[in-house]
Amino acid sequence: MKVFIVYAHPEPKSFNGALFRTAQDVLKQTGHEVKVSDLYAMGFNPVVSRKNYNTVKDPDYFKPQIEDMYATEAGGFAPEVEEEIRKMEWCDFMLWQHPLWWFGLPAILKGWVDRVFAMGRTYGGGRLYENGVFKGKRAMLSLTTGGPAEAYAKGGFNGDIHAVLRPVHRGILQFTGFSVLAPHIIFAPVRLRDDQRKDILEGYARRLRQIEMEKPVDVGEY
Ligand SMILES: Cc1cc2nc3c(=O)[nH]c(=O)nc-3n(C[C@H](O)[C@H](O)[C@H](O)COP(=O)(O)OP(=O)(O)OC[C@H]3O[C@@H](n4cnc5c(N)ncnc54)[C@H](O)[C@@H]3O)c2cc1C
């Protein structure tokens, strides 16, 4: 497969960093072609502005989706946006590695979505969900939490983690046509012993060696 890994953690020595390196190593060893976007290392600017584009449709009123559609027609995306869109278009499997921050994506990753999932190029014109632009591609979240597993069970202290992740699974990935694999969630890695974390990295490597065979899951609707 052609694999695109998007990584969002500011500290390379973090457990997210270890999961990211594990994924790169294992997927390359098992014969997949791998491209990555290490958003903090790239200094990726997550803010939507006219800097998204080399083109201008309406100089008087900045409406991002109108500018997205014009840039789609005119080939007008700024190089840092165009490069990321091309990586998504290129891949068969997209993997995001990130911590859960405020029940959602770290801002740098959310902003990457805001800029890169451009109207016209990645969705729109009736190309949504089952008919989405990225139909036939698969995506998976690999994430860590601060809270323990029991806090994220249905009826738990924080509530069902699958409900927490639904805006990303349903509203971003499925919306644009990706089929979603079960998320790989490591609950509270900071509370574990070093040997337990090493076992977790091995378990992740085992899963990734077979990832091509996995079937998508039902992420639920609203
Ligand atoms: C802004 C913000 C918002 C947050 N919101 C939420 C929230 O809504 N819900 C929630 O549950 N949590 C939340 N958190 C907590 C956050 O999700 C966790 O701190 C994070 O997921 C832990 O992952 P990490 O990679 O940062 O861990 P780290 O603290 O970097 O790593 C954990 C441990 O693993 C060790 N480690 C690193 N590499 C290896 C290796 N190769 N082998 C073995 N051990 C290793 C590290 O040394 C460290 O001791 C939030 C945190 C922030 C900063």
Side-chain angles (χ1 to χ4, degrees):
M1 290 190 296
K2 292 175 181 146
V3 181
F4 176 28
I5 309 177
V6 185
Y7 167 58
H9 197 292
E11 172 53 62
K13 294 194 285 289
S14 65
F15 199 57
N16 272 264
L19 290 158
F20 172 55
R21 285 187 294 279
T22 298
Q24 281 186 81
D25 293 348
V26 168
L27 291 164
K28 282 181 192 165
Q29 282 159 15
T30 37
H32 303 295
E33 212 180 321
V34 178
K35 291 187 183 182
V36 305
S37 288
D38 178 345
L39 300 182
Y40 281 98
M42 289 157 70
F44 188 82
N45 171 10
V47 177
V48 169
S49 74
R50 286 202 184 272
K51 288 185 184 152
N52 282 20
Y53 320 98
N54 296 325
T55 45
V56 178
K57 173 75 173 173
D58 183 345
D60 295 325
Y61 190 115
F62 177 50
K63 197 164 161 67
Q65 288 176 314
I66 299 288
E67 297 296 338
D68 275 354
M69 287 195 289
Y70 187 61
T72 299
E73 275 169 38
F77 290 102
E80 76 262 26
V81 173
E82 178 65 33
E83 205 176 310
E84 297 306 300
I85 297 174
R86 284 194 186 178
K87 286 185 211 170
M88 277 206 293
E89 290 171 341
W90 167 84
C91 77
D92 305 304
F93 175 47
M94 182 167 71
L95 173 61
W96 292 359
Q97 180 62 55
H98 65 92
L100 186 72
W101 279 5
W102 292 114
F103 275 45
L105 302 174
I108 200 167
L109 178 53
K110 175 54 168 54
W112 179 86
V113 173
D114 290 347
R115 295 188 74 201
V116 171
F117 281 64
M119 187 173 197
R121 186 78 172 267
T122 74
Y123 69 94
R127 294 169 308 155
L128 299 172
Y129 296 113
E130 291 78 11
N131 301 314
V133 170
F134 297 128
K135 186 178 172 165
K137 299 180 190 288
R138 297 181 309 154
M140 183 177 111
L141 304 181
S142 172
L143 65 140
T144 59
T145 67
E150 58 272 22
Y152 284 105
K154 245 186 193 161
F157 182 71
N158 287 329
D160 183 4
I161 189 70
H162 299 289
V164 172
L165 297 177
R166 195 165 295 134
V168 179
H169 279 153
R170 184 75 185 147
I172 300 173
L173 297 171
Q174 285 191 343
F175 184 79
T176 51
F178 284 97
S179 299
V180 173
L181 300 188
H184 200 82
I185 308 170
I186 308 303
F187 293 100
V190 76
R191 299 183 190 205
L192 301 175
R193 294 189 314 268
D194 215 39
D195 59 309
Q196 291 174 311
R197 286 190 293 258
K198 289 202 162 50
D199 285 349
I200 282 172
L201 292 173
E202 278 169 28
Y204 187 41
R206 274 195 300 280
R207 180 177 180 191
L208 289 175
R209 281 189 202 103
Q210 309 286 329
I211 203 75
E212 215 172 341
M213 323 298 283
E214 275 194 33
K215 298 268 180 288
V217 293
D218 179 4
V219 302
E221 294 182 10
Y222 287 102

